[in-house]
Amino acid sequence: MYPEHTPHVPAQRAVEVHQPTPYPPAVPSAAPVVPVQPGTVPAVASIVLPDGRVVTGYAINPAQPEPVAAKPAVSRTALSIALGGAGFLAVCGGLILLTSFIAALTAFITQLITLAAVIFGGWVLVLVLGTRGHQGGTTVNIRKAVIKRNHFHG
């Protein structure tokens, strides 16, 4: 299924060796170069090294450090503690108001129950005492006629 192992010669590649080409040293010019500060920064800047070589390249602005974030006047920890305290006071005040509301509601319901008991008790008292005022005879209503004991009133 697989071919037999055959001797295999790796492909040989042509190898090219590149040697760097040295640049000839810069020859200082006869007239000395005097650096002059231009009015604006040119796109390409040139500087003269102490040994007389001239280096030309793009001007690189120095890296500006990241601006430091302005610290708040109050630290975050103090702010968190203050907000936590304000929240705690708000919860305590709410609980006091809730307790007062429940107490007032309880008193109101108690007064309603007492008022109902007084009214119902008075009604029962009127019924009980009102019939005792006419103990002398029995009253029976028959077709608009009132018959009292031993008397007929028409």
Side-chain angles (χ1 to χ4, degrees):
M1 189 155 142
Y2 293 112
E4 294 290 322
H5 292 292
T6 58
H8 179 52
V9 179
Q12 294 185 4
R13 296 183 184 170
V15 178
E16 294 181 21
V17 177
H18 295 281
Q19 296 293 330
T21 305
Y23 287 114
V27 179
S29 62
V33 177
V34 179
V36 178
Q37 188 73 5
T40 62
V41 177
V44 178
S46 297
I47 60 169
V48 179
L49 296 177
D51 62 353
R53 292 182 293 163
V54 177
V55 179
T56 303
Y58 292 103
I60 299 175
N61 293 331
Q64 297 292 331
E66 289 288 326
V68 178
K71 288 189 175 183
V74 180
S75 70
R76 294 186 192 274
T77 306
L79 185 63
S80 297
I81 291 171
L83 289 176
F88 178 75
L89 289 177
V91 168
C92 289
L95 288 176
I96 289 173
L97 287 176
L98 181 64
T99 305
S100 301
F101 176 75
I102 291 172
L105 186 63
T106 305
F108 178 69
I109 292 172
T110 304
Q111 288 177 354
L112 285 179
I113 291 171
T114 304
L115 180 63
V118 168
I119 291 173
F120 182 73
W123 181 67
V124 169
L125 189 63
V126 166
L127 289 179
V128 170
L129 294 179
T131 57
R132 292 193 182 190
H134 301 287
Q135 290 180 351
T138 303
T139 304
V140 178
N141 295 327
I142 301 174
R143 293 186 189 190
K144 296 183 181 179
V146 178
I147 300 173
K148 288 198 175 184
R149 190 181 191 197
N150 300 329
H151 299 288
F152 176 77
H153 302 279

